[in-house]
Amino acid sequence: RSREYRHYSQAHCREYNQCMKRAMPAGRQGFFIVFEGGEGAGKSVQASLLVAKLRAQGHAVVVTREPGGTRIGEQIRAITHNPENVDLDARAEAYLMAASRAQHVAEIIAPALSDGRIVVCDRFVDSTIAYQGYGRGLGPDVIARLNELAVNGAKPDLTFFLNVPVEVGLARREGSVKKDRMDLQEKEFYTRVHEGYLTLAKTSPARYVVIDATASVEEIASDIWKIIEETVRVRNGKNS
């Protein structure tokens, strides 16, 4: 187990169980899981592993990502992540992220939750708050208000923050064959993003699970699965 996950499970177990009872009452339609983290945190790998395990157990799962997830959203992603778009203004970037999200929620996330599916998403609103709010300096409250219309009430039930030191994450990305615009920022930018995520995790402890992403892929996946098993037990009324 990661050190951070042990701290979470010991210090917040009672609060977490009560939160899950509220968030996952029997018969509730759908469940919304989000993976968050900086560059090189390993979100996509862990999301894929979790989806595979959930499907193997017979759960109906929709896996998606942001920005993107829809035809229109992927076109927006092509703009925000194109290395040639170095002149993209921070405010324009924030609006593009929100626009992609609005289409994503309307077309993919909301319908899937209404159908009773589990939605696993690689990034959601907190990414925009961390990257544009903290990283670009636009302010977390400004970004949160900007996205109110876009999310239309959709909110993650559970957020996994894969916590990795900035230096480690950037070193991992150095080995990546394909780099996009978001890989080409100054180190100070990624430091602000990381600090933003830590602040979000502290302000929403009942929803956030902070995972030590310096551990092995297998250890991280195991920590995540333990949390998922706990939510299923609570949802089914098997925990007091």
Side-chain angles (χ1 to χ4, degrees), residues 42-89:
K43 298 177 291 69
S44 301
V45 171
Q46 292 301 327
S48 297
L49 291 173
L50 175 60
V51 168
K53 199 156 189 176
L54 287 168
R55 285 175 173 167
Q57 294 202 355
H59 296 283
V61 185
V62 171
V63 58
T64 187
R65 71 172 184 175
E66 289 200 349
T70 66
R71 183 184 64 83
I72 292 173
E74 292 297 331
Q75 292 180 41
I76 294 173
R77 184 186 182 93
I79 297 173
T80 60
H81 285 55
N82 188 335
E84 296 182 0
N85 292 336
V86 293
D87 55 341
L88 181 62
D89 181 78

Side-chain angles (χ1 to χ4, degrees), residues 112-127:
L113 293 174
S114 294
D115 287 343
R117 298 175 183 270
I118 297 173
V119 175
V120 177
C121 191
D122 185 344
R123 299 195 183 282
F124 195 57
V125 175
D126 287 352
S127 276

Side-chain angles (χ1 to χ4, degrees), residues 2 4-5 33-50 121-123 127 131 159-166 168-169 172 193-194 197-198 201 208-217 219-225:
S2 71
E4 288 171 313
Y5 170 69
I33 302 168
V34 171
F35 282 83
E36 294 285 1
E39 305 306 305
K43 298 177 291 69
S44 301
V45 171
Q46 292 301 327
S48 297
L49 291 173
L50 175 60
C121 191
D122 185 344
R123 299 195 183 282
S127 276
Y131 278 76
T159 299
F160 289 107
F161 170 48
L162 301 191
N163 187 19
V164 63
V166 173
V168 175
R172 289 175 178 176
V193 169
H194 185 254
Y197 271 127
L198 292 176
Y208 260 82
V209 179
V210 179
I211 299 289
D212 179 5
T214 63
S216 70
V217 171
E219 288 175 316
I220 296 170
S222 176
D223 283 352
I224 289 170
W225 186 247

Side-chain angles (χ1 to χ4, degrees), residues 94-112:
Y95 274 107
L96 286 169
M97 296 296 185
S100 173
R101 182 164 298 121
Q103 186 69 26
H104 193 205
V105 170
E107 186 176 331
I108 303 295
I109 295 174

